Amino acid sequence: MSVGVLALQGSFNEHVAALRRLGVKGVEIRKPEQLQSVSSLIIPGGESTTMAKLAEYHNLFPALREFVKMGKPVWGTCAGLIFLANKAAGQKTGGQELIGGLNCTVHRNFFGSQIQSFEAELQVPEIVVKEGGPPTFRGVFIRAPAILEVGPEVEVLANIPVPSNKTVDPNHALENQEENTGEKVIVAVKQGNLLATAFHPELTADTRWHSYFLKMMGGEAGVGTSAVGEELGLEERRSTDLPIFQ
């Protein structure tokens, strides 16, 4: 089994490493014709505007849209979530090109700038049912987007509290709101062959999301036990000295 990982920019190496821990080969994708050699694809986190410009330069958008339309499993993390959304708000002037296919509206940098990056324990009941392990998943949010609304066919897999006076509105950023407790915003969804997370599972030792995605492509037989907090070598450890979001 091999999985394509879009390797234009961002955390594609970390996704390849996570797949390797599950005994699966990650194939770096940079050109349209390379998509023909894989049956699923991960679009990693990174700088979404830069990734979009590089994808346009390599004429990847038509091939990526066709890949999605063919019903092949695609998982977008952080910037990858923005790419898969049908509609994106909070973009830079001029916006950016999207792949689309995921019936949702996403807000770019919803949680603020780089210095507002954080970690949070997420309730992930669907992942626990399918993959076992602890009842929560430690999400790493880096200049993270959030999903403001979803269509009826979209399954919500995880959400996170936001301040009660924070209107889930694409014209406002969380950093401009007073701290409080209140409503929740969506940070993980599944729609048919599409999976999307606003956070970075590839930056943790917990590979349950990767295992879950592999099973979307019928890979149960080829996937080993999910690495839930397993002891890794120093070269694969990640220091995540970020504040816990409360």
Side-chain angles (χ1 to χ4, degrees), residues 9 22-24 68 73 85-86 105 107 119 123-124 127 130 133 152 158 161 166 172 176 185 192 207 212 232 236:
Q9 189 263 345
L22 291 172
V24 176
V68 169
N86 283 344
T105 298
H107 190 294
E119 297 181 14
Q123 297 292 329
V124 288
I127 300 301
K130 296 293 178 64
K166 159 67 180 174
H172 297 82
N176 296 326
V185 68
T207 58
Y212 182 80
L232 302 176
E236 289 188 345

Side-chain angles (χ1 to χ4, degrees), residues 72-104:
K72 296 182 178 181
V74 181
W75 174 20
T77 63
C78 197
L81 159 61
I82 298 171
F83 268 70
L84 290 178
N86 283 344
K87 183 178 179 181
Q91 297 196 62
K92 295 179 180 179
T93 303
Q96 68 182 63
E97 195 167 354
L98 303 174
I99 298 168
L102 185 60
N103 187 13
C104 72

Side-chain angles (χ1 to χ4, degrees), residues 1-7 16 19 24-43 60 63-64 66-68 70-75 213-214 217:
M1 185 190 303
S2 61
V3 178
V5 182
L6 192 65
V16 171
L19 291 169
V24 176
K25 181 181 179 181
V27 179
E28 295 182 9
I29 303 295
R30 294 183 176 88
K31 298 179 180 180
E33 57 268 23
Q34 293 175 316
L35 287 169
Q36 299 173 11
S37 66
V38 297
S39 56
S40 64
L41 179 70
I42 297 174
I43 304 176
L60 268 163
L64 289 168
E66 182 62 25
F67 197 91
V68 169
M70 290 174 66
K72 296 182 178 181
V74 181
W75 174 20
F213 176 65
L214 292 173
M217 54 185 285

